Amino acid sequence: MGLFTLVSASLLLAQLVSSKLPDGRRNANFRPPPTIPVVRGNNVESGPVTGRDGSELPPYNTTYYFDQLIDHNNPSLGTFKQRFWHTYEFYEPGGPVILMTPGEANAQPYTRYLTNATINGLIAQQQNGTVIILEHRWYGLSNPQDELTGKNFATNNLGQAVNDLEYFSKNVKLPMPNGENLGPDKAPWLLTGGSYSGALTGWTMVSKPGLFWAGYSSSGVVEAIFDYWRYFEPIRENMAKNCSADVEAVIAHIDQVFTSNDTEAINQLKDNFGLGGLSHLDDAAGALRNNLWDWQSLQPTSGPNTTFRKFCDALEVKDGQNAPESGWGLDHAVAAWGAFWRNGYLASLCGDSSVEDCLGTYDPNTDYYTDTSIDNAGRSWFWTVCTEVGYLQDGPPPGQPAVVSRLAQPSSDLVSFLTLVLLMKRANTSLRKRQCQLMFPDVFGSAPPDTAGGVDRTNEKYHGWDLQVDRLFFANGQRDPWREATVAAEGLNKQSTDRQVLTMSDGFHCSDLSTATGAIDSTVAAVQKKALETFKGWLAEWPGNEAKQMARRSTSSTSPKRVHVWDRESEIIA
């Protein structure tokens, strides 16, 4: 096995789909979703795979298709083609079936999650299992309809996603020997996932008891949260103290200036960051969240030359000297932060786009709002944000330390321009429809979505932080910005049991999914070791285990070498 590293999904997907901005987003004021990182390394996906019996198996990047129901509440509407990837590299009769969806992303870059470069493959290798990666409905090329409109998104909801997993597990004929006889009634199925798909693991197990024998949830955001200002708390707590001190000072200054009547000071401050071309102050204030959002791409394998590290060094290293914990103070910090943006960061963020096209959120005619073509993960996910989960990453309430501007608020994201009267005067405009309404005018044109109500309904249905189900393994990272939406949120003090295991590493977002991360960080390695021990015990409890073990012993030594050619499409990721 070669060296594998974790990278942001948006960076890799930017190479695969047409996108306006270098990092894959259509607008740089659009918050990053809770996606699992892509595992990159040696180019192994396109080559043949060798099974345990020496047979040649299809490459990891072989694409298969499943006929999934368009609407589980109305099967008469027919089916759509749902992509999946599969290997039985480590399989022996009696082993488990391990199913993962990457969640809110094109699943094609995630084929290494079939391998032992990830926790999926480690479990499969230990337990003689087969692994499946299933593309989530309405992402990539797995779409019930060919346009991402609000009306079509009537089937883009958590309930349909949960039912997809059930229908797939009960009806798929896996492209492997005896693959038509490996349903959940004949083999133990394990459901794994990270971030949103980690939450989906828990939500599926609690709403479909007994369907999946066990589950693994990495950084699972099980609690939907309307105003998720706490996204930035693990960042503030774990970044360098001098950097957080100076960032807080600059943010307080921005909020003070932008709510003043001093037009000259406002324009000077915008120009300091190269944002003079932005028409609205909440867009300018919100844009600076990007430096904090860069934290989400960090991993123990990242090394010293990350964008976030460069940002803090720009603020805190002066004339070769590091600032004390209190920072250098406002004057230096605001000038240094501005120079960092003007001298490269803004260009890396926006590419050839103008500042308004890159960071402005008020033009209803921009492609960001009007492009309904498929394979636009940001649009598909934002529907879920607007209707069911929230997760709006904005400024904190008064009295809390702020590393992002308080001028970025849910009201600005969802409904109208800032309700602050001074900012309304500064913009010289009446209240405007905002992101959810502008993106989905066919549904929310006359009234905004009830996002807060949708969040409450999600938590009521799937139990949120109170989710309790047997044989579910939770893995979280202390430095994960999504930590506060997981069962490891500060103040919950949930206790681990042998039936629902809770573990914590010193990692970041979904760090425990990668074996390379475990090789570098001992706390991540401890979580992975615990997971393997736990799943070994849970699988020993499978009711058919004794019979399956007997069948495996009687066939494993006599199986002939074989090469199977399945009806498939092979695709190679560059």
Side-chain angles (χ1 to χ4, degrees):
M1 182 181 68
L3 177 63
F4 292 82
T5 58
L6 291 172
V7 298
S8 167
S10 63
L11 292 177
L12 186 57
L13 290 176
Q15 302 169 12
L16 301 177
V17 299
S18 174
S19 181
K20 198 171 186 180
L21 303 179
D23 69 358
R25 287 179 292 170
R26 305 298 176 97
N27 183 288
N29 250 322
F30 190 90
R31 61 212 54 78
T35 49
I36 67 174
V38 174
V39 177
R40 303 188 71 174
N42 297 336
N43 186 23
V44 298
E45 288 94 338
S46 59
V49 178
T50 302
R52 278 191 166 165
D53 62 1
S55 61
E56 184 177 313
L57 309 184
Y60 297 124
N61 67 352
T62 302
T63 306
Y64 303 93
Y65 297 90
F66 175 73
D67 290 327
Q68 183 63 263
L69 293 177
I70 292 173
D71 186 347
H72 293 276
N73 300 317
N74 186 5
S76 65
L77 292 179
T79 62
F80 69 96
K81 297 295 184 182
Q82 188 171 30
R83 297 196 298 178
F84 71 98
W85 294 261
H86 168 257
T87 190
Y88 56 105
E89 175 183 6
F90 300 119
Y91 183 76
E92 295 183 29
V97 180
I98 301 166
L99 174 63
M100 175 192 234
T101 175
E104 68 286 30
N106 182 312
Q108 181 178 330
Y110 290 92
T111 54
R112 282 192 178 91
Y113 278 85
L114 297 171
T115 77
N116 60 5
T118 66
I119 193 67
N120 293 338
L122 291 181
I123 296 173
Q125 188 172 26
Q126 174 183 275
Q127 302 297 146
N128 311 315
T130 180
V131 187
I132 308 162
I133 301 299
L134 179 67
E135 190 163 63
H136 195 293
R137 67 165 52 216
W138 289 112
Y139 292 91
L141 304 183
S142 298
N143 299 279
Q145 278 90 32
D146 58 5
E147 280 193 302
L148 308 185
T149 65
K151 289 183 178 178
N152 283 347
F153 277 163
T155 59
N156 181 11
N157 57 65
L158 302 179
Q160 295 283 349
V162 167
N163 287 331
D164 281 351
L165 297 173
E166 178 181 34
Y167 190 78
F168 179 89
S169 66
K170 290 182 175 180
N171 293 280
V172 68
K173 294 177 174 58
L174 292 175
M176 62 182 288
N178 201 39
E180 70 277 9
N181 294 310
L182 290 176
D185 59 332
K186 297 181 176 67
W189 279 59
L190 312 180
L191 185 60
T192 69
S195 202
Y196 159 63
S197 74
L200 193 60
T201 294
W203 296 338
T204 301
M205 292 184 69
V206 79
S207 59
K208 305 286 183 181
L211 176 63
F212 292 95
W213 184 247
Y216 184 98
S217 175
S218 172
S219 297
V221 288
V222 294
E223 178 81 0
I225 301 173
F226 174 61
D227 182 5
Y228 188 36
W229 62 270
R230 286 187 178 273
Y231 172 93
F232 297 103
E233 283 297 278
I235 304 174
R236 183 185 64 82
E237 293 167 356
N238 289 284
M239 64 194 292
K241 299 302 180 185
N242 51 11
C243 191
S244 63
D246 277 341
V247 168
E248 288 179 43
V250 174
I251 292 300
H253 176 66
I254 289 171
D255 286 357
Q256 185 275 321
V257 171
F258 279 9
T259 55
S260 73
N261 291 316
D262 191 338
T263 302
E264 183 178 357
I266 290 171
N267 289 336
Q268 286 179 351
L269 191 53
K270 287 168 60 181
D271 289 340
N272 177 67
F273 294 96
L275 301 176
L278 279 177
S279 304
H280 298 91
L281 296 183
D282 53 345
D283 284 342
L288 300 183
R289 290 176 293 186
N290 278 282
N291 294 119
L292 283 301
W293 282 333
D294 287 335
W295 181 276
Q296 186 168 318
S297 65
L298 296 182
Q299 292 293 339
T301 56
S302 295
N305 295 317
T306 64
T307 302
F308 189 89
R309 175 69 177 270
K310 292 175 182 177
F311 162 66
C312 277
D313 282 352
L315 270 62
E316 304 310 323
V317 179
K318 180 171 63 173
D319 299 328
Q321 298 295 315
N322 290 321
E325 281 197 4
S326 58
W328 291 118
L330 175 63
D331 290 345
H332 173 79
V334 72
W337 195 346
F340 183 75
W341 270 66
R342 297 191 313 272
N343 296 334
Y345 185 79
L346 184 58
S348 69
L349 192 66
C350 296
D352 296 331
S353 298
S354 70
V355 171
E356 186 67 41
D357 286 343
C358 174
L359 293 159
T361 63
Y362 278 79
D363 182 0
N365 298 313
T366 183
D367 289 347
Y368 168 64
Y369 292 125
T370 62
D371 183 4
T372 61
S373 59
I374 63 170
D375 202 13
N376 182 347
R379 186 179 187 89
S380 297
W381 175 246
F382 199 55
W383 173 265
T384 305
V385 167
C386 294
T387 58
E388 294 187 282
V389 298
Y391 298 138
L392 302 173
Q393 300 151 29
D394 297 312
Q400 296 289 334
V403 290
V404 297
S405 173
R406 289 189 174 89
L407 305 188
Q409 290 294 317
S411 58
S412 177
D413 288 327
L414 295 176
V415 184
S416 65
F417 185 53
L418 295 175
T419 54
L420 298 173
V421 174
L422 287 174
L423 284 184
M424 287 172 57
K425 289 180 179 179
R426 179 59 48 200
N428 193 28
T429 184
S430 60
L431 295 179
R432 302 184 182 203
K433 296 175 182 178
R434 293 291 282 143
Q435 292 181 21
C436 290
Q437 291 182 282
L438 291 176
M439 190 168 287
F440 307 112
D442 54 336
V443 175
F444 303 130
S446 59
D450 178 18
T451 303
V455 165
D456 290 341
R457 288 187 289 274
T458 295
N459 290 328
E460 181 178 359
K461 183 174 183 179
Y462 299 112
H463 304 176
W465 284 319
D466 296 324
L467 187 154
Q468 189 69 41
V469 64
D470 272 359
R471 296 185 297 274
L472 179 56
F473 189 100
F474 283 109
N476 289 294
Q478 185 65 38
R479 293 180 285 179
D480 180 7
W482 291 96
R483 186 192 68 201
E484 296 303 292
T486 75
V487 294
E490 187 174 344
L492 284 186
N493 300 318
K494 292 180 71 70
Q495 299 300 307
S496 179
T497 70
D498 61 349
R499 309 312 293 167
Q500 183 165 290
V501 178
L502 279 60
T503 60
M504 176 74 82
S505 74
D506 194 38
F508 296 87
H509 192 55
C510 297
S511 295
D512 51 277
L513 292 178
S514 166
T515 56
T517 303
I520 288 178
D521 189 314
S522 62
T523 67
V524 174
V527 168
Q528 293 169 341
K529 180 180 179 182
K530 178 69 172 178
L532 293 174
E533 293 172 350
T534 299
F535 279 92
K536 182 178 181 179
W538 285 345
L539 285 167
E541 300 172 7
W542 166 248
N545 181 65
E546 183 176 350
K548 297 292 185 181
Q549 289 294 329
M550 291 177 61
R552 181 174 64 83
R553 286 194 296 269
S554 66
T555 60
S556 60
S557 62
T558 58
S559 298
K561 294 185 178 182
R562 57 195 183 270
V563 178
H564 294 283
V565 180
W566 307 102
D567 180 17
R568 64 183 184 264
E569 171 190 331
S570 295
E571 298 178 353
I572 300 175
I573 302 174

